Amino acid sequence: MKRSLGPKTLPLPAPAWLVGTYDADGRPNLVTVAWGGVCSSEPPSIAISLRKSRHSYDAIVQRKAFTINVPAESHVRETDFAGIVSGRDVDKFAAAGLTPVKSELVDAPYVDEFPLVLECRLLQIIELGIHTQFVGEIVDVKADQAVLDPHGLPDAEKVRPIIYDTGTRNYFGIGQLLGKGFAVGKDLHKK
């Protein structure tokens, strides 16, 4: 029997992404987000949600761009750090020993050391309670060659992305492969 927990933000897992922006002074900044995910296939789009109090909020509104930086498990400390301090007070790239790279496609930086990056142009802003959702069109995906599969696509077992448990506030790595999508459940399909 299931126990009711009430209305809470407890999806499992949530991503642990670092969103890259330039602030009003042109300084590169990062913020860690867990509220995010793919929201459209055509155009390819991703959504993230931030509180208005975050330093990156105004940067996204003003620059109309952001990057999604997918850290590997080896960067869990840097990922956590980027969510603890404000870019108003700290140069997060320098403090975390990360390298900002200026995107050639959008007005936002990305993290050179992270294996997977999505460059996004702001499409829509949606006010949702205490958060604002930013929908960005993915204009390019950049991946380190070492994390690509034989078909040239990012391989989760090579990227080793960090996932976040919103209830316990713990970070995890991914687990073992369970099966191929659109194949493992085919035997349950009755004609």
Side-chain angles (χ1 to χ4, degrees), residues 64-75:
K64 303 203 178 327
F66 58 92
T67 61
I68 301 292
N69 299 271
V70 180
E73 294 171 359
S74 59
H75 285 101

Side-chain angles (χ1 to χ4, degrees), residues 77-107:
R77 289 178 61 240
E78 295 85 347
T79 299
D80 191 51
F81 169 76
I84 293 172
V85 299
S86 173
R88 288 182 190 92
D89 308 318
V90 176
D91 178 340
K92 294 184 192 182
F93 275 96
L98 299 173
T99 309
V101 176
K102 180 175 175 35
S103 168
E104 295 177 6
L105 301 174
V106 299
D107 192 11

Side-chain angles (χ1 to χ4, degrees), residues 2-59:
K2 296 206 180 2
R3 179 176 147 207
S4 174
L5 303 177
K8 298 180 185 307
T9 52
L10 298 175
L12 290 175
W17 294 335
L18 278 74
V19 173
T21 60
Y22 287 117
D23 69 13
D25 297 323
R27 293 177 304 195
N29 187 47
L30 295 167
V31 64
T32 304
V33 301
W35 301 160
V38 173
C39 61
S40 176
S41 299
E42 191 58 43
S45 301
I46 201 156
I48 58 165
S49 294
L50 293 175
R51 292 182 184 210
K52 287 183 180 179
S53 62
R54 300 289 183 229
H55 187 56
S56 296
Y57 179 96
D58 288 334

